[in-house]
Amino acid sequence: MCVGVTALIRWDRDPVLWVIRGALYTVVAVAFIAVQRRRARNAAGTDSRGLAELGRGIRHREVPDDPEKRAAMRRLVDDQLERLERGARWLPYWLGFMGLIAAAVLALGVATGSVLFPLVFALGTAGFCCWILWMRRRTMERLHYMRSALREEHEHVS
């Protein structure tokens, strides 16, 4: 999407270059998502359909009745919480780096007299950072809820 917006702004370049760039970025994004899904499938010990069902159950805060699915969900929740907690160490640095880039682009825009695009970029970056923090907090709440619900369910079964 960013490649398309940039292509509209910088229309003086060859359109084939934008198509190639967009395809390359898409391939990289799809590969990254495929690796993440494979890790999640391996952590949960299930297939793609089972992973989708477990993800839906986590989003809707539904504890499965089947003991195998409960165990798979417990493994998936533990894996996702571990990843989020491990990533929390670097999150302030990434957000700070993104803010620094946005401030630098804004400063360059003010210095060159072109303020509109840098301002839109800075506001977009700030919005993106806020969205990341909101989604992380929401995901952590869901995963902690599911961890406690799965433990309670496990204690009732035992």
Side-chain angles (χ1 to χ4, degrees):
M1 192 164 135
C2 291
V3 172
V5 170
T6 307
L8 291 174
I9 294 170
R10 301 208 47 204
W11 51 270
D12 57 334
R13 301 272 175 108
D14 187 19
V16 174
L17 178 66
W18 296 113
V19 171
I20 292 171
R21 211 177 261 177
L24 176 68
Y25 293 162
T26 301
V27 166
V28 169
V30 167
F32 180 76
I33 291 170
V35 167
Q36 293 297 324
R37 288 189 58 86
R38 184 172 48 89
R39 275 186 179 167
R41 277 194 326 262
N42 291 341
T46 187
D47 60 351
S48 294
R49 176 171 280 161
L51 183 64
E53 289 175 13
L54 292 175
R56 189 192 60 72
I58 290 170
R59 282 190 308 276
H60 294 283
R61 298 178 183 223
E62 298 170 353
V63 178
D65 294 328
D66 182 29
E68 288 182 26
K69 285 185 180 180
R70 252 196 327 271
M73 184 176 276
R74 193 175 307 114
R75 289 189 303 268
L76 181 62
V77 166
D78 289 341
D79 179 65
Q80 288 182 350
L81 274 172
E82 179 185 326
R83 273 200 238 161
L84 281 171
E85 289 166 357
R86 194 173 50 228
R89 177 175 16 147
W90 295 102
L91 185 63
Y93 299 109
W94 281 111
L95 294 177
F97 181 66
M98 289 171 63
L100 184 63
I101 289 173
V105 168
L106 188 59
L108 285 172
V110 168
T112 61
S114 171
V115 180
L116 182 61
F117 178 72
L119 184 61
V120 168
F121 179 78
L123 290 175
T125 302
F128 183 64
C129 290
C130 290
W131 178 78
I132 288 172
L133 292 172
W134 176 73
M135 284 300 293
R136 185 180 187 286
R137 181 180 53 82
R138 195 170 144 205
T139 302
M140 290 290 280
E141 287 173 359
R142 284 180 179 165
L143 292 174
H144 282 297
Y145 173 84
M146 287 307 293
R147 178 183 268 175
S148 65
L150 289 166
R151 278 197 185 129
E152 289 173 8
E153 196 71 28
H154 181 68
E155 289 171 0
H156 290 300
V157 171
S158 297

